[in-house]
Every structure is written in structure tokens, then in C-alpha cells.
Amino acid sequence: MKKAFIFDLDGVLCFTDKYHFRAWKALADRLGIPFDENVNDRLRGVSRMASLEIILSLGSASYSEEEKAAFAEEKNELYRTFLKGMTPSDITQEVRSTLDELRRRGYRLAIGSSSKNTPLILERTDMAKYFDAVSDGNNITHSKPDPEVFLKAAEFLGLRPEECYVVEDAEAGIDAGCAGGFTTVGIGPAAHYAKTDMPIRTFADILQL
Ligand code: B16
Ligand code: MG
């Protein structure tokens, strides 16, 4: 019997991938590195520094650790200016009513996101009120596909992984959920991934699990 849902943020509850794309593209253009939507798709659920390494691997130059840290900071500053323009209307009514209904049914809800910007996104979209616990890029040392972010979320809830669903859009996130012993629910690209336990088509399908 499941007691909780742990939700990935970007690609599940909200869609900030367009902002990641614009911010990474600005950096890639400046460095003369080719960057398009296909590369952006490879960055889903992947940490900021791992994303930067993927992008730099498409160019020919090599950079020092200090330069890489400065590039990541440059991208993040631009990304955060986009996030500051988010409002509660960036969260669909379907997501809000589904979260309300899960709470009404007595489930505990948590966030399990790789993003260090999770607090800003939750604040701008007025979503913090739905969640009993938040595990994000600020409290982990290993990013997805490592299960740490979800194991921490379960720990914050005081539950075992077998008692929690993990809802994800990225293959790296499904791998993380499987590695941690969670039952995985896949939406978007993850709905077509072989390792996903329960594919769903639309967010409200969670209510039929
Ligand atoms: P930040 P999620 C992930 O969020 C994004 O999918 C991924 O594209 C991003 O690189 C990562 O967060 C880190 O984000 O730079 O804000 O710390 O899907 O795990 O909610
Ligand atoms: Mg995601």
C-alpha cells in the first residue's frame, strides 16, 4: 500500500526546459558550440555541471575548472531571470486539482528534483503549499541517475522507498527511482521508457493508479 508520491519538478509539475534551452543556447553561441533542441533533450534531469560537460564536449576547446564554474554561473544567472518571470498561472489547473485530490485521499507529497533552483520555482508558482517535504539539488551530492534525491525525499517523509511512487519525465530519473527501490511512474518521454513501471499519458491519470 503506497503512502506517498515523490514528484520530479521540471517536465512533470512545470515546464522550465524552454528557459534552460535559452540560457544554455546563449552560452553555447558565445563559445561557438552547436546547440539545438536535440542536445537540450539530453540534459533533462541531469545536473547543471553534468549538463555543462555535455555541451562543452560538443566543442573542441578545453577549459579549466574555474572557467567551467564561471560558465555554469553565467547560464544560471540568465536562467534565474527567466524563472523570476514565472507566476502561479504557469502551473496547469490539471496539476493543481490532481495534487489537491491526492492530499484529500491522504497521500503525503514530496518534491525530488535535481534543480538547485527548486525553492525559487516553488515560490514563484505558489506550489510549496502542496508538499510535505522538498528534496532537491541543494541537499544531494550525487545527481540522477543516482537515487540519492529520492531516498532523501523518502527519509524526509519518514517512509521507506517501497511505500512511495516516484513520478518522472526523464530516463535518468526513472533509473534513479528503480535504483532506489521505488515504483516509478513515467510521463512524457519516460512513458515510453522500458524501465518505467507505470506509464501515464496525462498528469490526472495519477488518480487512476
Ligand atoms: P539547476 P528536474 C532538472 O530538474 C532539469 O531537468 C535539468 O535540465 C537541470 O539541469 C537540473 O534540474 C539542474 O537544474 O541548474 O536549476 O540546478 O527535472 O530534476 O526537476
Ligand atoms: Mg524532470
Side-chain angles (χ1 to χ4, degrees), residues 58-72:
L58 303 173
S60 47
S62 52
Y63 297 97
S64 68
E65 291 309 310
E66 289 74 23
E67 286 172 310
K68 289 180 191 174
F71 292 156

Side-chain angles (χ1 to χ4, degrees), residues 8 10-11 168-169:
D8 173 57
D10 182 24
E168 260 289 348
D169 70 307

Side-chain angles (χ1 to χ4, degrees), residues 3 6 30 40 46 55-57 74 95 108 121 131 134 136 153 155-157 160 162 168-169 171-172 193 206:
K3 296 181 177 165
I6 302 171
R30 189 171 76 66
N40 200 50
V46 176
I55 291 166
L56 293 182
S57 75
E74 177 183 332
V95 166
R108 311 205 59 213
I121 297 171
F131 301 100
V134 175
D136 64 24
E155 185 186 319
F156 294 160
L157 291 171
R160 290 174 287 117
E162 314 86 85
E168 260 289 348
D169 70 307
E171 293 187 3
Y193 185 42
I206 288 170

Side-chain angles (χ1 to χ4, degrees), residues 8-10 43 45-46 48 51 79 113-117 144:
D8 173 57
L9 185 57
D10 182 24
L43 310 182
V46 176
R48 193 181 311 161
S51 298
Y79 177 60
S113 167
S114 300
S115 177
K116 294 185 171 174
N117 291 299
K144 302 168 189 174

Side-chain angles (χ1 to χ4, degrees), residues 4 15 24 26 42-43 58 84 91 103 105 116 129-130 146 151-152 158 170 172 176 185 201 203:
F15 297 89
W24 283 127
R42 290 171 55 195
L43 310 182
L58 303 173
K84 284 175 189 157
I91 307 305
R103 289 186 67 88
R105 293 183 188 181
K116 294 185 171 174
K129 62 189 178 193
Y130 297 109
D146 189 285
L151 292 173
K152 282 269 164 57
V185 180
R201 194 181 54 78
F203 193 80

